[in-house]
Amino acid sequence: MISDPEVTIVMYHYVRPIVGSNYPKIKGLELQGFRRQLDYLEKNFNIVSTQEVILAAQKQKTLPINACWLTFDDGYKDHYRYVMPELLRRGLTAAFFPPKTAITQPVVLDVNAIHYILACSGKSQDLEKHLNLLCLKNGISEEQLDLYKLEFKRKFRYDSASTIYIKRMLQHVLPEDIRRSITSTLFNKYVRISEEAFSSELYMNISEVSALVSNGMYVGSHGSMHYWLGKMSKKKQRSDISSSLEFLEEVGSNTSEWVMSYPFGSYNNDTLSILKDLKASLAITSNIGKAVIGYDNPYELPRLDTNNFLQ
């Protein structure tokens, strides 16, 4: 077969039927659209396994022309319930990257709490006003809020400026104790379900992640707490990543040749150094583009979003 160092890495998150969903406003790939997209990818690409990509990076194997690697972030129950059965039916494999804490504890990660707050709250402009009011009540000055708006209230990809401002404020801008308190307040007001019940509905459990592995899927690291790694100290990054590797061992995944998917696509030089020390094989980003094995840094492989393809 003709070989090619290029590989198209496709990034997925939510995959679910819209009909019957309790949260139809959540941005995700509708299940029938996912099936049509797989039809398209199978017709136009050669879908390869994680191990094939690792071996290509190690120069032990060449990839076929139009190689395509499927990756699924965040550990959603969608991946066990809908994605894995569809892949198995077609004889395909993929890589899955669940954050440890979401799988092992009855919590809702901030990233997902924010998604559902936005989906349940109606207009993002009204939610922004509520967020700003809570910031003021928690000691953030109006002058500081104005600076935050100036820096972070900017349209990005598929989101409005107001939505991006809300996300950034609750993801990493506000001090951790304040943003967790505000996120909890907003979640209770708009989503109106206990965190424990919501967590069991949203994420896979340990046995389901283990079932991915036993069915031939690859499970890699997405950190432990889904932090913006690039905004953390090196010590805290290493602790978070090391903890995720313990989780991979627990579910039966291979940690001698392991792959990292950066939460939020965030990393820095410290992260790259840690991955080298911990002997990661590859790491995938949310940078847009096709990966060129042997040319790109193996710890900075770009991906394309599912929205970049026919559905």
Side-chain angles (χ1 to χ4, degrees), residues 211-255:
L212 292 178
V213 177
S214 63
N215 278 280
M217 305 297 161
Y218 174 77
V219 174
S221 172
H222 204 40
S224 294
M225 289 291 294
H226 204 279
Y227 287 131
W228 286 68
L229 294 172
K231 299 181 181 296
M232 295 164 55
S233 70
K234 186 173 184 179
K235 181 179 180 180
K236 195 168 183 180
Q237 285 190 56
R238 189 180 184 97
S239 175
D240 186 77
I241 295 170
S242 296
S243 180
S244 78
L245 295 182
E246 294 172 2
F247 165 69
L248 295 188
E249 290 182 349
E250 185 177 355
V251 298
S253 192
N254 181 1
T255 55

mmCIF file of all heavy atoms in Angstrom, residues 211-255:
data_model
loop_
_atom_site.group_PDB
_atom_site.id
_atom_site.type_symbol
_atom_site.label_atom_id
_atom_site.label_comp_id
_atom_site.label_asym_id
_atom_site.label_seq_id
_atom_site.Cartn_x
_atom_site.Cartn_y
_atom_site.Cartn_z
ATOM 1 N N ALA A 211 -14.368 -1.624 29.510
ATOM 2 C CA ALA A 211 -14.974 -2.333 28.375
ATOM 3 C C ALA A 211 -14.469 -1.784 27.048
ATOM 4 O O ALA A 211 -14.334 -2.543 26.076
ATOM 5 C CB ALA A 211 -16.497 -2.235 28.447
ATOM 6 N N LEU A 212 -14.176 -0.490 26.993
ATOM 7 C CA LEU A 212 -13.564 0.061 25.773
ATOM 8 C C LEU A 212 -12.256 -0.670 25.483
ATOM 9 O O LEU A 212 -12.000 -1.092 24.347
ATOM 10 C CB LEU A 212 -13.290 1.558 25.936
ATOM 11 C CG LEU A 212 -14.466 2.514 26.034
ATOM 12 C CD1 LEU A 212 -13.952 3.950 26.241
ATOM 13 C CD2 LEU A 212 -15.337 2.470 24.789
ATOM 14 N N VAL A 213 -11.433 -0.800 26.517
ATOM 15 C CA VAL A 213 -10.128 -1.445 26.356
ATOM 16 C C VAL A 213 -10.300 -2.900 25.943
ATOM 17 O O VAL A 213 -9.638 -3.379 25.003
ATOM 18 C CB VAL A 213 -9.316 -1.347 27.665
ATOM 19 C CG1 VAL A 213 -7.976 -2.093 27.515
ATOM 20 C CG2 VAL A 213 -9.067 0.106 28.040
ATOM 21 N N SER A 214 -11.189 -3.621 26.628
ATOM 22 C CA SER A 214 -11.350 -5.046 26.328
ATOM 23 C C SER A 214 -11.951 -5.289 24.954
ATOM 24 O O SER A 214 -11.818 -6.388 24.405
ATOM 25 C CB SER A 214 -12.213 -5.717 27.410
ATOM 26 O OG SER A 214 -13.523 -5.176 27.425
ATOM 27 N N ASN A 215 -12.580 -4.262 24.387
ATOM 28 C CA ASN A 215 -13.131 -4.382 23.037
ATOM 29 C C ASN A 215 -12.197 -3.820 21.961
ATOM 30 O O ASN A 215 -12.622 -3.598 20.826
ATOM 31 C CB ASN A 215 -14.486 -3.682 22.956
ATOM 32 C CG ASN A 215 -15.616 -4.549 23.479
ATOM 33 O OD1 ASN A 215 -16.117 -5.442 22.797
ATOM 34 N ND2 ASN A 215 -16.010 -4.309 24.731
ATOM 35 N N GLY A 216 -10.943 -3.597 22.331
ATOM 36 C CA GLY A 216 -9.940 -3.232 21.346
ATOM 37 C C GLY A 216 -9.773 -1.751 21.094
ATOM 38 O O GLY A 216 -9.015 -1.353 20.189
ATOM 39 N N MET A 217 -10.443 -0.917 21.886
ATOM 40 C CA MET A 217 -10.271 0.524 21.753
ATOM 41 C C MET A 217 -9.058 0.966 22.574
ATOM 42 O O MET A 217 -8.646 0.285 23.510
ATOM 43 C CB MET A 217 -11.524 1.273 22.220
ATOM 44 C CG MET A 217 -12.803 0.836 21.528
ATOM 45 S SD MET A 217 -12.755 1.157 19.739
ATOM 46 C CE MET A 217 -14.071 0.041 19.179
ATOM 47 N N TYR A 218 -8.503 2.113 22.219
ATOM 48 C CA TYR A 218 -7.397 2.654 22.999
ATOM 49 C C TYR A 218 -7.947 3.684 23.982
ATOM 50 O O TYR A 218 -8.800 4.502 23.636
ATOM 51 C CB TYR A 218 -6.343 3.321 22.103
ATOM 52 C CG TYR A 218 -5.295 4.005 22.937
ATOM 53 C CD1 TYR A 218 -4.304 3.261 23.565
ATOM 54 C CD2 TYR A 218 -5.351 5.381 23.179
ATOM 55 C CE1 TYR A 218 -3.379 3.868 24.398
ATOM 56 C CE2 TYR A 218 -4.432 5.993 24.013
ATOM 57 C CZ TYR A 218 -3.446 5.231 24.614
ATOM 58 O OH TYR A 218 -2.546 5.823 25.460
ATOM 59 N N VAL A 219 -7.455 3.654 25.224
ATOM 60 C CA VAL A 219 -7.819 4.653 26.226
ATOM 61 C C VAL A 219 -6.548 5.350 26.687
ATOM 62 O O VAL A 219 -5.597 4.703 27.139
ATOM 63 C CB VAL A 219 -8.553 4.018 27.422
ATOM 64 C CG1 VAL A 219 -8.781 5.065 28.519
ATOM 65 C CG2 VAL A 219 -9.892 3.441 26.979
ATOM 66 N N GLY A 220 -6.509 6.671 26.540
ATOM 67 C CA GLY A 220 -5.332 7.456 26.890
ATOM 68 C C GLY A 220 -5.631 8.516 27.924
ATOM 69 O O GLY A 220 -6.738 8.605 28.459
ATOM 70 N N SER A 221 -4.643 9.342 28.197
ATOM 71 C CA SER A 221 -4.738 10.335 29.266
ATOM 72 C C SER A 221 -5.378 11.636 28.787
ATOM 73 O O SER A 221 -5.037 12.168 27.732
ATOM 74 C CB SER A 221 -3.347 10.648 29.824
ATOM 75 O OG SER A 221 -3.415 11.731 30.726
ATOM 76 N N HIS A 222 -6.299 12.137 29.601
ATOM 77 C CA HIS A 222 -6.860 13.480 29.414
ATOM 78 C C HIS A 222 -6.723 14.232 30.736
ATOM 79 O O HIS A 222 -7.566 15.056 31.097
ATOM 80 C CB HIS A 222 -8.326 13.357 29.000
ATOM 81 C CG HIS A 222 -8.863 14.549 28.254
ATOM 82 N ND1 HIS A 222 -8.151 15.236 27.300
ATOM 83 C CD2 HIS A 222 -10.079 15.175 28.319
ATOM 84 C CE1 HIS A 222 -8.889 16.207 26.804
ATOM 85 N NE2 HIS A 222 -10.056 16.201 27.421
ATOM 86 N N GLY A 223 -5.645 13.900 31.446
ATOM 87 C CA GLY A 223 -5.436 14.473 32.762
ATOM 88 C C GLY A 223 -6.381 13.871 33.782
ATOM 89 O O GLY A 223 -7.154 12.959 33.498
ATOM 90 N N SER A 224 -6.310 14.394 35.000
ATOM 91 C CA SER A 224 -7.179 13.919 36.080
ATOM 92 C C SER A 224 -8.373 14.836 36.305
ATOM 93 O O SER A 224 -9.499 14.384 36.450
ATOM 94 C CB SER A 224 -6.387 13.796 37.375
ATOM 95 O OG SER A 224 -5.410 12.777 37.256
ATOM 96 N N MET A 225 -8.115 16.148 36.294
ATOM 97 C CA MET A 225 -9.156 17.113 36.633
ATOM 98 C C MET A 225 -9.586 17.976 35.445
ATOM 99 O O MET A 225 -10.340 18.926 35.622
ATOM 100 C CB MET A 225 -8.656 18.025 37.756
ATOM 101 C CG MET A 225 -8.532 17.340 39.099
ATOM 102 S SD MET A 225 -10.131 16.910 39.809
ATOM 103 C CE MET A 225 -10.823 18.523 40.107
ATOM 104 N N HIS A 226 -9.091 17.661 34.236
ATOM 105 C CA HIS A 226 -9.416 18.452 33.046
ATOM 106 C C HIS A 226 -9.005 19.915 33.239
ATOM 107 O O HIS A 226 -9.730 20.851 32.909
ATOM 108 C CB HIS A 226 -10.904 18.351 32.699
ATOM 109 C CG HIS A 226 -11.207 18.619 31.253
ATOM 110 N ND1 HIS A 226 -11.305 19.884 30.740
ATOM 111 C CD2 HIS A 226 -11.421 17.786 30.214
ATOM 112 C CE1 HIS A 226 -11.582 19.840 29.448
ATOM 113 N NE2 HIS A 226 -11.639 18.558 29.104
ATOM 114 N N TYR A 227 -7.797 20.107 33.748
ATOM 115 C CA TYR A 227 -7.252 21.439 33.949
ATOM 116 C C TYR A 227 -6.709 22.029 32.644
ATOM 117 O O TYR A 227 -6.330 21.294 31.727
ATOM 118 C CB TYR A 227 -6.093 21.391 34.943
ATOM 119 C CG TYR A 227 -6.463 21.177 36.386
ATOM 120 C CD1 TYR A 227 -5.803 20.215 37.143
ATOM 121 C CD2 TYR A 227 -7.443 21.947 37.015
ATOM 122 C CE1 TYR A 227 -6.107 20.028 38.492
ATOM 123 C CE2 TYR A 227 -7.754 21.763 38.353
ATOM 124 C CZ TYR A 227 -7.083 20.804 39.084
ATOM 125 O OH TYR A 227 -7.380 20.614 40.417
ATOM 126 N N TRP A 228 -6.594 23.350 32.630
ATOM 127 C CA TRP A 228 -5.786 24.041 31.611
ATOM 128 C C TRP A 228 -4.325 23.845 32.038
ATOM 129 O O TRP A 228 -3.787 24.634 32.820
ATOM 130 C CB TRP A 228 -6.124 25.535 31.562
ATOM 131 C CG TRP A 228 -7.431 25.867 30.926
ATOM 132 C CD1 TRP A 228 -8.673 25.592 31.398
ATOM 133 C CD2 TRP A 228 -7.626 26.560 29.685
ATOM 134 N NE1 TRP A 228 -9.631 26.066 30.540
ATOM 135 C CE2 TRP A 228 -9.020 26.664 29.474
ATOM 136 C CE3 TRP A 228 -6.758 27.106 28.733
ATOM 137 C CZ2 TRP A 228 -9.563 27.286 28.361
ATOM 138 C CZ3 TRP A 228 -7.298 27.724 27.615
ATOM 139 C CH2 TRP A 228 -8.676 27.809 27.427
ATOM 140 N N LEU A 229 -3.692 22.821 31.550
ATOM 141 C CA LEU A 229 -2.346 22.483 32.013
ATOM 142 C C LEU A 229 -1.365 23.625 31.793
ATOM 143 O O LEU A 229 -0.492 23.866 32.632
ATOM 144 C CB LEU A 229 -1.849 21.219 31.299
ATOM 145 C CG LEU A 229 -2.620 19.935 31.624
ATOM 146 C CD1 LEU A 229 -2.157 18.801 30.708
ATOM 147 C CD2 LEU A 229 -2.472 19.544 33.081
ATOM 148 N N GLY A 230 -1.505 24.320 30.674
ATOM 149 C CA GLY A 230 -0.567 25.395 30.351
ATOM 150 C C GLY A 230 -0.627 26.572 31.296
ATOM 151 O O GLY A 230 0.217 27.470 31.219
ATOM 152 N N LYS A 231 -1.593 26.609 32.193
ATOM 153 C CA LYS A 231 -1.733 27.708 33.147
ATOM 154 C C LYS A 231 -1.389 27.272 34.570
ATOM 155 O O LYS A 231 -1.659 27.998 35.530
ATOM 156 C CB LYS A 231 -3.162 28.274 33.089
ATOM 157 C CG LYS A 231 -3.517 28.838 31.715
ATOM 158 C CD LYS A 231 -4.916 29.409 31.674
ATOM 159 C CE LYS A 231 -5.264 29.936 30.285
ATOM 160 N NZ LYS A 231 -4.408 31.062 29.874
ATOM 161 N N MET A 232 -0.794 26.079 34.695
ATOM 162 C CA MET A 232 -0.483 25.525 36.016
ATOM 163 C C MET A 232 1.021 25.423 36.221
ATOM 164 O O MET A 232 1.790 25.426 35.264
ATOM 165 C CB MET A 232 -1.106 24.121 36.158
ATOM 166 C CG MET A 232 -2.619 24.109 36.147
ATOM 167 S SD MET A 232 -3.255 22.440 35.849
ATOM 168 C CE MET A 232 -2.444 21.524 37.157
ATOM 169 N N SER A 233 1.432 25.292 37.474
ATOM 170 C CA SER A 233 2.845 25.061 37.779
ATOM 171 C C SER A 233 3.260 23.690 37.255
ATOM 172 O O SER A 233 2.422 22.797 37.080
ATOM 173 C CB SER A 233 3.082 25.126 39.287
ATOM 174 O OG SER A 233 2.487 24.004 39.924
ATOM 175 N N LYS A 234 4.546 23.526 37.053
ATOM 176 C CA LYS A 234 5.053 22.247 36.567
ATOM 177 C C LYS A 234 4.761 21.136 37.569
ATOM 178 O O LYS A 234 4.388 20.007 37.178
ATOM 179 C CB LYS A 234 6.559 22.338 36.305
ATOM 180 C CG LYS A 234 7.145 21.092 35.664
ATOM 181 C CD LYS A 234 8.601 21.296 35.270
ATOM 182 C CE LYS A 234 9.153 20.068 34.544
ATOM 183 N NZ LYS A 234 10.568 20.274 34.130
ATOM 184 N N LYS A 235 4.891 21.432 38.849
ATOM 185 C CA LYS A 235 4.642 20.433 39.886
ATOM 186 C C LYS A 235 3.193 19.952 39.846
ATOM 187 O O LYS A 235 2.920 18.750 39.916
ATOM 188 C CB LYS A 235 4.978 21.011 41.252
ATOM 189 C CG LYS A 235 4.776 20.028 42.399
ATOM 190 C CD LYS A 235 5.156 20.667 43.734
ATOM 191 C CE LYS A 235 4.951 19.685 44.887
ATOM 192 N NZ LYS A 235 5.319 20.310 46.195
ATOM 193 N N LYS A 236 2.264 20.889 39.715
ATOM 194 C CA LYS A 236 0.848 20.522 39.701
ATOM 195 C C LYS A 236 0.497 19.776 38.421
ATOM 196 O O LYS A 236 -0.307 18.835 38.434
ATOM 197 C CB LYS A 236 -0.015 21.773 39.849
ATOM 198 C CG LYS A 236 -1.467 21.462 40.203
ATOM 199 C CD LYS A 236 -2.227 22.707 40.617
ATOM 200 C CE LYS A 236 -3.652 22.361 41.032
ATOM 201 N NZ LYS A 236 -4.413 23.575 41.447
ATOM 202 N N GLN A 237 1.087 20.175 37.310
ATOM 203 C CA GLN A 237 0.868 19.456 36.052
ATOM 204 C C GLN A 237 1.317 18.006 36.180
ATOM 205 O O GLN A 237 0.596 17.083 35.784
ATOM 206 C CB GLN A 237 1.647 20.107 34.917
ATOM 207 C CG GLN A 237 1.094 21.404 34.383
ATOM 208 C CD GLN A 237 1.802 21.818 33.102
ATOM 209 O OE1 GLN A 237 1.840 21.055 32.138
ATOM 210 N NE2 GLN A 237 2.357 23.015 33.088
ATOM 211 N N ARG A 238 2.512 17.827 36.698
ATOM 212 C CA ARG A 238 3.059 16.458 36.803
ATOM 213 C C ARG A 238 2.182 15.585 37.693
ATOM 214 O O ARG A 238 1.935 14.413 37.379
ATOM 215 C CB ARG A 238 4.494 16.498 37.328
ATOM 216 C CG ARG A 238 5.182 15.140 37.259
ATOM 217 C CD ARG A 238 6.595 15.182 37.787
ATOM 218 N NE ARG A 238 7.230 13.885 37.608
ATOM 219 C CZ ARG A 238 8.026 13.564 36.600
ATOM 220 N NH1 ARG A 238 8.290 14.458 35.658
ATOM 221 N NH2 ARG A 238 8.560 12.357 36.507
ATOM 222 N N SER A 239 1.706 16.152 38.794
ATOM 223 C CA SER A 239 0.838 15.399 39.703
ATOM 224 C C SER A 239 -0.452 14.999 38.989
ATOM 225 O O SER A 239 -0.898 13.848 39.112
ATOM 226 C CB SER A 239 0.524 16.252 40.930
ATOM 227 O OG SER A 239 -0.406 15.605 41.766
ATOM 228 N N ASP A 240 -1.048 15.922 38.247
ATOM 229 C CA ASP A 240 -2.306 15.650 37.558
ATOM 230 C C ASP A 240 -2.125 14.576 36.484
ATOM 231 O O ASP A 240 -2.936 13.647 36.375
ATOM 232 C CB ASP A 240 -2.828 16.939 36.918
ATOM 233 C CG ASP A 240 -4.206 16.768 36.305
ATOM 234 O OD1 ASP A 240 -5.189 16.753 37.063
ATOM 235 O OD2 ASP A 240 -4.289 16.636 35.068
ATOM 236 N N ILE A 241 -1.056 14.669 35.713
ATOM 237 C CA ILE A 241 -0.819 13.707 34.636
ATOM 238 C C ILE A 241 -0.448 12.338 35.202
ATOM 239 O O ILE A 241 -0.932 11.299 34.737
ATOM 240 C CB ILE A 241 0.272 14.234 33.677
ATOM 241 C CG1 ILE A 241 -0.222 15.491 32.961
ATOM 242 C CG2 ILE A 241 0.660 13.158 32.656
ATOM 243 C CD1 ILE A 241 0.849 16.232 32.187
ATOM 244 N N SER A 242 0.395 12.325 36.239
ATOM 245 C CA SER A 242 0.793 11.052 36.854
ATOM 246 C C SER A 242 -0.410 10.322 37.426
ATOM 247 O O SER A 242 -0.537 9.096 37.313
ATOM 248 C CB SER A 242 1.831 11.297 37.955
ATOM 249 O OG SER A 242 3.021 11.841 37.420
ATOM 250 N N SER A 243 -1.315 11.074 38.028
ATOM 251 C CA SER A 243 -2.532 10.469 38.571
ATOM 252 C C SER A 243 -3.382 9.859 37.463
ATOM 253 O O SER A 243 -3.979 8.787 37.639
ATOM 254 C CB SER A 243 -3.330 11.525 39.340
ATOM 255 O OG SER A 243 -4.505 10.977 39.884
ATOM 256 N N SER A 244 -3.402 10.505 36.318
ATOM 257 C CA SER A 244 -4.177 9.963 35.189
ATOM 258 C C SER A 244 -3.583 8.654 34.689
ATOM 259 O O SER A 244 -4.311 7.763 34.234
ATOM 260 C CB SER A 244 -4.252 10.984 34.048
ATOM 261 O OG SER A 244 -3.061 11.041 33.299
ATOM 262 N N LEU A 245 -2.258 8.515 34.778
ATOM 263 C CA LEU A 245 -1.622 7.272 34.340
ATOM 264 C C LEU A 245 -1.966 6.123 35.290
ATOM 265 O O LEU A 245 -2.112 4.970 34.851
ATOM 266 C CB LEU A 245 -0.104 7.456 34.248
ATOM 267 C CG LEU A 245 0.383 8.446 33.190
ATOM 268 C CD1 LEU A 245 1.911 8.493 33.161
ATOM 269 C CD2 LEU A 245 -0.156 8.091 31.810
ATOM 270 N N GLU A 246 -2.095 6.411 36.573
ATOM 271 C CA GLU A 246 -2.538 5.390 37.520
ATOM 272 C C GLU A 246 -3.937 4.903 37.150
ATOM 273 O O GLU A 246 -4.245 3.701 37.243
ATOM 274 C CB GLU A 246 -2.533 5.965 38.934
ATOM 275 C CG GLU A 246 -1.147 6.302 39.459
ATOM 276 C CD GLU A 246 -1.193 7.044 40.781
ATOM 277 O OE1 GLU A 246 -2.317 7.255 41.306
ATOM 278 O OE2 GLU A 246 -0.115 7.423 41.285
ATOM 279 N N PHE A 247 -4.773 5.832 36.714
ATOM 280 C CA PHE A 247 -6.131 5.482 36.284
ATOM 281 C C PHE A 247 -6.084 4.594 35.038
ATOM 282 O O PHE A 247 -6.839 3.611 34.932
ATOM 283 C CB PHE A 247 -6.914 6.762 36.009
ATOM 284 C CG PHE A 247 -8.186 6.562 35.243
ATOM 285 C CD1 PHE A 247 -9.271 5.918 35.819
ATOM 286 C CD2 PHE A 247 -8.311 7.016 33.940
ATOM 287 C CE1 PHE A 247 -10.456 5.732 35.116
ATOM 288 C CE2 PHE A 247 -9.484 6.842 33.230
ATOM 289 C CZ PHE A 247 -10.559 6.192 33.816
ATOM 290 N N LEU A 248 -5.198 4.904 34.093
ATOM 291 C CA LEU A 248 -5.092 4.079 32.887
ATOM 292 C C LEU A 248 -4.708 2.651 33.246
ATOM 293 O O LEU A 248 -5.233 1.685 32.663
ATOM 294 C CB LEU A 248 -4.061 4.675 31.919
ATOM 295 C CG LEU A 248 -4.379 6.043 31.308
ATOM 296 C CD1 LEU A 248 -3.353 6.392 30.232
ATOM 297 C CD2 LEU A 248 -5.783 6.097 30.743
ATOM 298 N N GLU A 249 -3.811 2.490 34.198
ATOM 299 C CA GLU A 249 -3.447 1.137 34.649
ATOM 300 C C GLU A 249 -4.656 0.428 35.254
ATOM 301 O O GLU A 249 -4.871 -0.766 35.030
ATOM 302 C CB GLU A 249 -2.309 1.216 35.670
ATOM 303 C CG GLU A 249 -0.981 1.638 35.061
ATOM 304 C CD GLU A 249 0.145 1.653 36.076
ATOM 305 O OE1 GLU A 249 -0.147 1.533 37.290
ATOM 306 O OE2 GLU A 249 1.315 1.783 35.660
ATOM 307 N N GLU A 250 -5.465 1.177 35.989
ATOM 308 C CA GLU A 250 -6.632 0.594 36.652
ATOM 309 C C GLU A 250 -7.642 0.045 35.653
ATOM 310 O O GLU A 250 -8.270 -0.994 35.897
ATOM 311 C CB GLU A 250 -7.304 1.650 37.540
ATOM 312 C CG GLU A 250 -8.461 1.121 38.358
ATOM 313 C CD GLU A 250 -9.061 2.178 39.267
ATOM 314 O OE1 GLU A 250 -8.522 3.303 39.330
ATOM 315 O OE2 GLU A 250 -10.077 1.877 39.920
ATOM 316 N N VAL A 251 -7.785 0.704 34.508
ATOM 317 C CA VAL A 251 -8.775 0.253 33.517
ATOM 318 C C VAL A 251 -8.160 -0.692 32.483
ATOM 319 O O VAL A 251 -8.836 -1.128 31.548
ATOM 320 C CB VAL A 251 -9.455 1.443 32.808
ATOM 321 C CG1 VAL A 251 -10.221 2.293 33.804
ATOM 322 C CG2 VAL A 251 -8.461 2.279 32.006
ATOM 323 N N GLY A 252 -6.889 -1.012 32.644
ATOM 324 C CA GLY A 252 -6.256 -1.999 31.775
ATOM 325 C C GLY A 252 -5.627 -1.456 30.514
ATOM 326 O O GLY A 252 -5.302 -2.217 29.600
ATOM 327 N N SER A 253 -5.422 -0.135 30.459
ATOM 328 C CA SER A 253 -4.803 0.448 29.269
ATOM 329 C C SER A 253 -3.283 0.352 29.351
ATOM 330 O O SER A 253 -2.710 0.270 30.441
ATOM 331 C CB SER A 253 -5.227 1.909 29.109
ATOM 332 O OG SER A 253 -4.875 2.405 27.836
ATOM 333 N N ASN A 254 -2.643 0.390 28.204
ATOM 334 C CA ASN A 254 -1.195 0.261 28.117
ATOM 335 C C ASN A 254 -0.527 1.576 28.515
ATOM 336 O O ASN A 254 -0.737 2.603 27.866
ATOM 337 C CB ASN A 254 -0.813 -0.111 26.679
ATOM 338 C CG ASN A 254 0.675 -0.303 26.496
ATOM 339 O OD1 ASN A 254 1.457 -0.175 27.442
ATOM 340 N ND2 ASN A 254 1.090 -0.607 25.273
ATOM 341 N N THR A 255 0.292 1.562 29.573
ATOM 342 C CA THR A 255 0.983 2.779 29.983
ATOM 343 C C THR A 255 2.468 2.768 29.614
ATOM 344 O O THR A 255 3.205 3.670 29.981
ATOM 345 C CB THR A 255 0.845 2.992 31.505
ATOM 346 O OG1 THR A 255 1.299 1.822 32.194
ATOM 347 C CG2 THR A 255 -0.592 3.291 31.881
#
